[in-house]
Amino acid sequence: AAVAAAPAAYDEDAARELMLMSAAAYCVDHVSLGWWTQCAVCAKASAHFELHAVLNHSAPDVFGFAGADHVRKRIVVSFKGTSPDSISNWLTNVNAIRTDYAYGGAVHRGFYG
Protein backbone atom coordinates (compact mmCIF):
# COMPACT_ATOMS: atom_id res chain seq x y z
CA ALA A 1 0.00 0.00 0.00
CA ALA A 2 1.20 3.49 -0.83
CA VAL A 3 1.84 5.92 1.99
CA ALA A 4 0.60 9.44 1.34
CA ALA A 5 2.77 12.30 2.49
CA ALA A 6 1.26 14.59 5.09
CA PRO A 7 0.17 17.92 3.60
CA ALA A 8 2.55 20.77 4.25
CA ALA A 9 1.50 23.26 6.89
CA TYR A 10 0.35 26.65 5.66
CA ASP A 11 3.26 29.11 5.57
CA GLU A 12 2.22 32.79 5.55
CA ASP A 13 5.65 33.98 4.37
CA ALA A 14 5.72 31.47 1.50
CA ALA A 15 2.17 32.44 0.51
CA ARG A 16 3.13 36.13 0.47
CA GLU A 17 6.24 35.44 -1.65
CA LEU A 18 4.23 33.40 -4.16
CA MET A 19 1.55 36.10 -4.32
CA LEU A 20 4.26 38.66 -5.10
CA MET A 21 5.73 36.37 -7.76
CA SER A 22 2.30 36.18 -9.31
CA ALA A 23 2.08 39.98 -9.21
CA ALA A 24 5.55 40.20 -10.77
CA ALA A 25 4.14 38.63 -13.96
CA TYR A 26 2.17 41.87 -14.41
CA CYS A 27 5.24 44.06 -13.91
CA VAL A 28 5.54 46.74 -16.59
CA ASP A 29 9.35 46.71 -16.37
CA HIS A 30 10.02 43.23 -17.79
CA VAL A 31 11.88 44.19 -20.95
CA SER A 32 15.22 42.64 -20.01
CA LEU A 33 16.45 39.81 -17.83
CA GLY A 34 17.78 42.38 -15.37
CA TRP A 35 14.30 43.52 -14.35
CA TRP A 36 13.98 41.23 -11.33
CA THR A 37 16.10 43.39 -9.03
CA GLN A 38 15.03 46.72 -10.57
CA CYS A 39 11.31 46.53 -9.81
CA ALA A 40 10.15 47.16 -6.21
CA VAL A 41 7.38 44.50 -6.37
CA CYS A 42 9.63 41.92 -8.01
CA ALA A 43 12.49 42.48 -5.58
CA LYS A 44 10.12 41.90 -2.62
CA ALA A 45 8.96 38.57 -4.03
CA SER A 46 11.97 36.60 -2.88
CA ALA A 47 15.50 37.55 -2.00
CA HIS A 48 16.56 34.04 -2.98
CA PHE A 49 14.83 33.76 -6.35
CA GLU A 50 17.05 33.04 -9.34
CA LEU A 51 15.43 33.96 -12.66
CA HIS A 52 16.10 31.35 -15.37
CA ALA A 53 13.78 32.16 -18.27
CA VAL A 54 11.43 34.86 -19.50
CA LEU A 55 8.65 34.42 -22.05
CA ASN A 56 7.64 37.72 -23.60
CA HIS A 57 5.44 37.63 -26.70
CA SER A 58 3.84 40.93 -27.67
CA ALA A 59 1.26 39.72 -30.22
CA PRO A 60 -1.15 38.06 -27.77
CA ASP A 61 0.29 40.09 -24.86
CA VAL A 62 1.81 37.04 -23.19
CA PHE A 63 4.40 37.26 -20.43
CA GLY A 64 5.76 34.75 -17.95
CA PHE A 65 8.90 33.69 -16.17
CA ALA A 66 10.46 30.68 -14.51
CA GLY A 67 13.16 30.31 -11.92
CA ALA A 68 14.23 28.65 -8.72
CA ASP A 69 14.34 29.49 -5.06
CA HIS A 70 17.11 27.24 -3.76
CA VAL A 71 16.56 28.26 -0.13
CA ARG A 72 12.88 27.21 -0.12
CA LYS A 73 13.65 24.39 -2.59
CA ARG A 74 10.97 25.27 -5.13
CA ILE A 75 10.64 25.99 -8.80
CA VAL A 76 8.36 28.87 -9.72
CA VAL A 77 6.59 29.33 -13.06
CA SER A 78 4.36 32.40 -13.30
CA PHE A 79 2.28 33.67 -16.23
CA LYS A 80 0.36 36.89 -16.52
CA GLY A 81 -3.37 36.43 -16.91
CA THR A 82 -5.74 38.78 -18.68
CA SER A 83 -4.90 42.45 -18.27
CA PRO A 84 -8.06 44.54 -17.93
CA ASP A 85 -6.77 47.12 -20.43
CA SER A 86 -5.42 44.66 -23.03
CA ILE A 87 -7.67 44.41 -26.07
CA SER A 88 -5.64 41.50 -27.46
CA ASN A 89 -6.13 39.55 -24.19
CA TRP A 90 -9.91 40.05 -24.33
CA LEU A 91 -10.08 39.11 -28.03
CA THR A 92 -8.23 35.90 -27.24
CA ASN A 93 -10.60 35.21 -24.31
CA VAL A 94 -13.76 35.58 -26.42
CA ASN A 95 -12.38 33.32 -29.13
CA ALA A 96 -14.15 30.29 -27.63
CA ILE A 97 -14.27 28.10 -30.74
CA ARG A 98 -12.89 24.69 -29.88
CA THR A 99 -10.12 23.09 -31.90
CA ASP A 100 -8.29 19.78 -31.66
CA TYR A 101 -5.28 19.81 -29.35
CA ALA A 102 -2.12 18.30 -30.84
CA TYR A 103 -1.79 15.80 -27.96
CA GLY A 104 -5.44 14.75 -27.80
CA GLY A 105 -8.61 16.39 -26.62
CA ALA A 106 -9.81 19.85 -27.51
CA VAL A 107 -8.95 23.36 -26.36
CA HIS A 108 -10.39 26.77 -27.11
CA ARG A 109 -8.77 28.20 -30.24
CA GLY A 110 -7.33 31.16 -28.30
CA PHE A 111 -5.03 28.68 -26.54
CA TYR A 112 -2.86 28.72 -29.66
CA GLY A 113 -2.71 32.54 -29.68
Side-chain angles (χ1 to χ4, degrees), residues 4 14 19 31-32 48 62 83-84:
M19 183 271 306
V31 176
S32 70
H48 311 290
V62 172
S83 292

Side-chain angles (χ1 to χ4, degrees), residues 57 59-62 80-82 87-101 106-113:
H57 191 284
D61 198 17
V62 172
K80 179 182 78 62
T82 299
I87 293 171
S88 64
N89 278 175
W90 288 105
L91 290 174
T92 298
N93 290 348
V94 299
N95 183 1
I97 299 169
R98 289 175 29 152
T99 189
D100 290 334
Y101 182 56
V107 295
H108 103 12
R109 196 166 65 187
F111 179 81
Y112 286 109

Side-chain angles (χ1 to χ4, degrees), residues 7-62:
Y10 177 74
D11 181 335
E12 184 75 25
D13 291 333
R16 186 174 295 108
E17 286 179 2
L18 293 172
M19 183 271 306
L20 288 168
M21 287 187 185
S22 177
Y26 292 85
C27 180
V28 295
D29 187 21
H30 58 255
V31 176
S32 70
L33 289 177
W35 64 277
W36 191 261
T37 57
Q38 297 170 6
C39 170
V41 173
C42 302
K44 287 181 193 175
S46 175
H48 311 290
F49 184 71
E50 180 182 343
L51 182 67
H52 286 274
V54 172
L55 170 68
N56 192 8
H57 191 284
S58 61
D61 198 17
V62 172

Side-chain angles (χ1 to χ4, degrees), residues 76-88:
V76 176
V77 178
S78 181
F79 282 93
K80 179 182 78 62
T82 299
S83 292
D85 59 349
S86 173
I87 293 171
S88 64

